[in-house]
Amino acid sequence: VDESYLVSSGEEVLTGTSAFTNRSVPSQVGDISIINYMRSSRASSNDGTDIVLNSDTTAGNYSNQFLYGAASGSAAAQFGDHQIGGCSAANADSNYFSGQLTSISAFNYGANDPHILCLSGHVSVSAADGFCSIVSGKRNNVAAVTSVNIAATNGSTFLAGSGQWVYAVPKSLISRTTLSGTATNASFDLTSLTIPAGTTHLRLNCYARSDRSANSAGIDIQFNGDTGSNYNRQTLVGRGTTVAAAAETGRSDIRSGRIPAASSGANEFGSSTTLIPWYASSSYRKQTLSFTGAETHSDLGVRLISGDWENTAAITSIEVRCSSDNFVAGSIFELEAITHPSGWSGTVMGVANPGKGM
């Protein structure tokens, strides 16, 4: 992220044992990204980390789905609280701190529950209890997010040297669609869109819900109108307490996510982010990497999905399809440009010619 998008007083590096400070975030279209480097004061080798939105510390107002690896084991878990990750603690190996990246989608939407995705991990060589985790979570409240913070689950404070950086990241948007009614798909015709010079990769963001009479539905992607059996995928998923993996070949689309449907709770949406590298190349088969989650029911969960399109053609169109029935009103689909620093010019959120577009 470009440092110019750091929110006011959004950088905090602790000089003593303390909690991080709640940070106000601006009202804008985009995402909130929180980067942490931390070590808890808990008298243990590790601790959990909690998300705090709008100063709401009531655990029961949040829910999440974990997928994690600890030492040589792996597991999944579903919780009705606001723990979204973990970190090193006071008894970890000397000088070991841990990192965490948290993204909050549709934080300023104010119509449905904001969705949270988090990556975290910590290593403790002598104790052999390191872990890494992927978490999908939400706050059960449609209010726009106006402040954010990360707290220690058990230690309550972090040790000196811990840091927190809060960014309000605008979109390098090529196109954005917000549904006002139901629709089976959302399409992006790249030949008719204005794509910034220097764009090397694309990112597809989905914040959606289906009207299917079930707990969930899928988000599928097709390129250049190809509906043949020319797509493959590998999935790693955590659902409830189950960890599973699957490889599928000869599909008619690439799965990029799984979202709540009509039988899920009111206002529950799921989100997915899909990276599409080297979309304009005509030399390589096209790959995708998706990070997606929704946490309420056992058939949702959090997922990593690697996709493959058996074609070297440059991508000229992208169709995002609901796997069953329709996307509902309020679903959002965005196509972003990821640009080479020297090849992009323009103004984003008042910043002229930002050094990076990602």
Side-chain angles (χ1 to χ4, degrees), residues 42-358:
R42 182 190 186 195
S44 177
S45 60
N46 59 56
D47 198 354
T49 55
D50 297 340
I51 188 81
V52 179
L53 303 181
N54 295 0
S55 300
D56 181 2
T57 59
T58 302
N61 291 341
Y62 301 79
S63 60
N64 56 50
Q65 171 71 56
F66 272 74
L67 173 63
Y68 61 95
S72 60
S74 61
Q78 193 175 74
F79 299 109
D81 65 24
H82 57 163
Q83 184 179 346
I84 57 165
C87 66
S88 303
N91 293 350
D93 294 312
S94 179
N95 299 317
Y96 271 54
F97 282 61
S98 55
Q100 179 169 293
L101 172 63
T102 308
S103 177
I104 307 169
S105 302
F107 77 95
N108 189 46
Y109 192 33
N112 297 297
D113 296 340
H115 193 253
I116 304 158
L117 292 171
C118 181
L119 298 171
S120 69
H122 119 96
V123 176
S124 181
V125 175
S126 62
D129 65 349
F131 69 88
C132 58
S133 69
I134 307 167
V135 177
S136 165
K138 74 178 183 70
R139 178 176 180 241
N140 186 22
N141 194 309
V142 301
V145 176
T146 57
S147 71
V148 299
N149 198 15
I150 299 297
T153 302
N154 299 292
S156 73
T157 55
F158 297 99
L159 299 182
S162 298
Q164 177 163 277
W165 295 262
V166 180
Y167 298 88
V169 186
K171 306 284 189 180
S172 297
L173 279 180
I174 297 171
S175 181
R176 185 176 200 262
T177 298
T178 301
L179 297 183
S180 58
T182 59
T184 59
N185 61 14
S187 298
F188 299 95
D189 180 0
L190 274 60
T191 63
S192 63
L193 296 173
T194 300
I195 299 176
T199 299
T200 50
H201 317 301
L202 300 175
R203 185 165 65 181
L204 175 67
N205 302 313
C206 303
Y207 172 81
R209 178 184 173 102
S210 169
D211 63 3
R212 179 190 181 202
S213 182
N215 290 330
S216 67
I219 301 176
D220 297 329
I221 300 173
Q222 294 174 333
F223 295 130
N224 295 11
D226 183 357
T227 61
S229 302
N230 301 314
Y231 303 87
N232 312 300
R233 75 184 187 202
Q234 172 69 52
T235 302
L236 174 64
V237 58
R239 293 189 300 264
T241 59
T242 301
V243 179
E248 298 177 75
T249 59
R251 292 181 53 84
S252 60
D253 50 53
I254 293 175
R255 178 63 50 84
S256 71
R258 197 152 190 90
I259 53 175
S263 299
S264 293
N267 302 312
E268 291 178 359
F269 279 54
S271 65
S272 69
T273 294
T274 300
L275 175 67
I276 308 171
W278 298 114
Y279 78 98
S281 169
S282 57
S283 301
Y284 312 104
R285 279 166 56 155
K286 301 305 179 289
Q287 307 293 313
T288 64
L289 182 63
S290 300
F291 177 26
T292 175
E295 65 290 330
T296 303
H297 296 287
S298 60
D299 56 347
L300 284 164
V302 61
R303 286 171 167 80
L304 285 176
I305 306 172
S306 177
D308 166 61
W309 181 38
E310 298 177 356
N311 199 313
T312 61
I315 294 173
T316 57
S317 68
I318 301 170
E319 183 167 353
V320 186
R321 304 181 62 85
C322 188
S323 67
S324 183
D325 297 319
N326 307 289
F327 296 119
V328 303
S331 296
I332 301 171
F333 306 93
E334 299 173 330
L335 190 64
E336 286 188 79
I338 298 176
T339 60
H340 189 282
S342 63
W344 198 90
S345 62
T347 301
V348 178
M349 295 300 295
V351 179
N353 303 325
K356 280 191 176 181
M358 180 180 180

